[in-house]
Amino acid sequence: MTLLEKVWNAHTVRKLPNGQTQLFVGLHLVHEVTTPQAFDMLRARGWKVRYPSRTIATVDHIVPTRDQRRPFMDVMAEDMLSALERNCREAGIPLLDLKSGSQGIVHVIGPELGLTQPGMTIACGDSHTSTHGAFGAVAFGIGTSQVRDVLASQCLALEPLKVRRIDVSGTLAAGVYAKDLILEIIRRLGVNGGVGYAYEYAGETIDRLSMDERMTICNMSIEGGARVGYVNPDQTTFDYLRGRRFAPEGDAFDKAVAWWRSMASDADARYDDTVRLDAGAIRPTVTWGINPGQSVYVDERLPRPSDLEPAARASLAEALDFMGFHGGDPIKGTRIDVAFVGSCTNARLSDLREAARVVRGHHVAPHVKALVVPGSQGVRAAAEREGLDRVFTEAGFDWRNAGCSMCLAMNQDRLEGREVCASSSNRNFKGRQGSPTGRTLLMSPAMVAAAAIAGEVVDVREMTDGH
Ligand code: SF4
């Protein structure tokens, strides 16, 4: 069996008459944006939260990343956080708030605190919950009515999924990162290629990736249409989890490891589909369009409508028109206005280290606004212990407090007008970063750092001599 089948079977409460499965949810991660109505729906029916002990909350989407004094200047943000505080207090749900030292983007703190563990089912009212699959968990992003269902019953009604194994071999070249690998996968398989599937990332390249890198890959599974993405748990996973706050301790940890190992896909597991990919051929990648599948290598030119099948020409034309680009243009040399290192895709300590390595000794181009937003208070503190904050501020970056920031711009960090943003986040949809006409170029944190310094899209390999 695959890991998906094993975890699915272990959490099945019953098969529903409509063909769905009622699945028990081991961990429900909660944040301020998708929960207020869900709690109100429970209240209206007189229902209680079924398992407060399997629920944990934080605040990330709306928090200001500069001035975090309460009450927030943004009245809506203040209302949302106040509602979450009240709901958690009434239901007995632990809240990792701004005073906790553990607050951060929900998909950064779950793993960081050892809440996310192999073999679990995890749900959260945010699309990028697939991040937690990096640990061999089956993790679903859910909508507000499903948040209500999980709060009330700790269960979800779900359609069964097929499993596609994405087998990656070869070594990522210097200057090429997990972000480039997942952008390549999405470019090849398409933004809807994963609909109906769970993606199992496997092969020697994935085996060698750190947990941070695996999280970057799994995080963007949803951008390829896959409901969940996962990596089989292995020694890298167990080493990461040992000693974390919510991980088992002592003998319980060893027992857990034995069970976690048993949940990995069997060597002779059967897959609904298998795709093979050579990581060695990938180059630093930049999106040029309005979905994460519209990308090119930094030394390539944008596609021309005439290069494509007639059916694909309309979406290409729409994307080029929105971005103000022309088919055949090089992406390299595209002037940027904003550089954003942050988000649940790429705001972990290793991401900040890579960005800082590029930035050290340079200065942000005069016309660029650059900000680094750590994924959690824990990441921020660790980065400051290493002096990364000074590297960034001396180079002219803003060093901010933890939150989602400009990834979704439900706070004060947002693009203005037609600004172009080099961003380490995960979505380049129209209006995603706050301005309806703002333009997002997705890339690795190192590439964002390089673009901030140069003031335009550059090949990070040329700035770091390929190291
Ligand atoms: S960083 Fe972006 S994608 Fe991740 S949880 Fe926050 S808003 Fe969602």
Side-chain angles (χ1 to χ4, degrees):
M1 287 194 292
T2 62
L3 176 141
L4 181 91
E5 289 173 279
K6 293 183 191 184
V7 175
W8 192 278
N9 291 347
H11 292 82
T12 294
V13 177
R14 62 185 172 132
K15 294 264 164 48
L16 300 171
N18 65 359
Q20 291 184 313
T21 303
Q22 184 185 1
L23 208 64
F24 188 78
V25 174
L27 174 67
H28 186 197
L29 297 166
V30 163
H31 62 87
E32 74 281 18
V33 174
T34 47
T35 54
Q37 292 142 299
F39 278 106
D40 286 347
M41 288 189 260
L42 249 66
R43 231 176 252 123
R45 289 171 167 81
W47 294 345
K48 294 252 175 292
V49 174
R50 183 69 181 83
Y51 280 100
S53 61
R54 291 186 173 275
T55 313
I56 194 153
T58 193
V59 57
D60 51 9
H61 287 64
I62 54 89
V63 287
T65 60
R66 207 195 295 264
D67 181 357
Q68 298 191 320
R69 281 172 301 180
R70 302 283 301 275
F72 297 147
M73 280 173 43
D74 178 345
V75 176
M76 198 175 79
E78 180 59 33
D79 284 351
M80 275 189 171
L81 180 49
S82 301
L84 183 69
E85 288 170 333
R86 190 185 70 240
N87 289 329
C88 287
R89 202 168 45 242
E90 285 177 12
I93 295 170
L95 170 61
L96 300 169
D97 62 11
L98 294 173
K99 299 188 291 296
S100 68
S102 304
Q103 170 267 342
I105 306 174
V106 65
H107 311 311
V108 175
I109 64 162
E112 183 177 82
L113 298 174
L115 288 159
T116 303
Q117 296 171 17
M120 268 187 168
T121 46
I122 299 177
C124 174
D126 183 275
S127 315
H128 296 86
T129 307
S130 55
T131 312
H132 305 264
F135 291 78
V138 173
F140 298 95
I142 55 176
T144 295
S145 56
Q146 290 174 306
V147 171
R148 172 205 58 197
D149 295 349
V150 180
L151 287 173
S153 69
Q154 203 64 26
C155 292
L156 275 173
L158 292 167
E159 304 288 341
L161 291 169
K162 293 185 283 187
V163 184
R164 173 177 291 143
R165 182 178 157 101
I166 301 181
D167 204 325
V168 190
S169 58
T171 303
L172 290 172
V176 181
Y177 296 89
K179 180 64 158 288
D180 302 298
L181 173 53
I182 187 62
L183 286 172
E184 173 83 8
I185 290 170
I186 298 168
R187 172 153 70 141
R188 294 242 195 130
L189 301 181
V191 289
N192 294 316
V195 172
Y197 280 96
Y199 278 177
E200 176 177 309
Y201 303 101
E204 53 169 16
T205 312
I206 303 294
D207 292 347
R208 284 196 302 268
L209 294 182
S210 68
M211 290 312 298
D212 284 7
E213 292 170 316
R214 293 178 188 182
M215 283 187 253
T216 298
I217 305 265
C218 290
N219 173 275
M220 290 190 70
S221 303
I222 190 77
E223 304 306 334
R227 189 75 205 272
V228 304
Y230 67 86
V231 175
N232 283 304
D234 62 7
Q235 198 57 46
T236 305
T237 322
F238 313 142
D239 291 346
Y240 177 100
L241 283 170
R242 189 184 290 277
R244 296 202 180 248
R245 183 160 141 203
F246 290 97
E249 292 174 49
D251 288 351
F253 186 84
D254 297 333
K255 270 197 196 138
V257 167
W259 187 73
W260 293 341
R261 271 190 210 286
S262 76
M263 297 307 281
S265 294
D266 297 324
D268 58 353
R270 280 211 309 259
Y271 295 90
D272 299 288
D273 190 27
T274 300
V275 173
R276 294 197 168 74
L277 206 83
D278 175 14
I282 299 173
R283 309 203 288 277
T285 301
V286 181
T287 64
W288 55 265
I290 51 175
N291 73 53
Q294 292 175 322
S295 66
V296 286
Y297 296 144
V298 66
D299 50 5
E300 282 184 309
R301 289 172 180 271
L302 308 194
R304 290 186 174 87
S306 56
D307 299 339
L308 301 187
E309 299 293 317
R313 286 181 196 159
S315 63
L316 172 68
E318 182 195 354
L320 289 173
D321 181 53
F322 179 82
M323 297 299 286
F325 296 157
H326 300 99
D329 284 352
I331 192 73
K332 203 166 150 185
T334 303
R335 185 181 159 98
I336 66 153
D337 306 294
V338 178
F340 170 57
V341 176
S343 88
C344 57
T345 313
N346 278 129
R348 297 182 179 81
L349 185 59
S350 56
D351 299 314
L352 271 44
R353 282 181 182 149
E354 283 306 300
R357 205 166 63 82
V358 175
V359 161
R360 199 181 297 271
H362 295 283
H363 203 277
V364 171
H367 67 275
V368 173
K369 184 174 103 182
L371 63 164
V372 180
V373 187
S376 69
Q377 292 179 335
V379 169
R380 188 172 196 268
E384 288 181 353
R385 282 196 294 276
E386 293 184 14
L388 300 186
D389 56 324
R390 284 197 306 281
V391 174
F392 287 119
T393 50
E394 281 167 14
F397 281 81
D398 257 17
W399 176 249
R400 297 292 185 83
N401 291 299
C404 296
S405 181
M406 201 178 268
C407 171
L408 182 62
M410 287 187 83
N411 47 71
Q412 289 137 347
D413 304 337
R414 42 184 49 236
L415 296 186
E416 304 288 338
R418 292 278 284 157
E419 281 180 337
V420 174
C421 179
S423 178
S424 70
S425 57
N426 45 49
R427 280 195 171 155
N428 52 347
F429 300 164
K430 289 179 184 174
R432 170 75 177 180
Q433 293 193 285
S435 163
T437 52
R439 294 168 287 172
T440 303
L441 309 179
L442 302 176
M443 57 189 85
S444 70
M447 283 283 285
V448 173
I453 303 301
E456 59 185 35
V457 174
V458 289
D459 187 338
V460 67
R461 296 172 301 180
E462 291 165 11
M463 282 189 65
T464 53
D465 296 329
H467 297 297

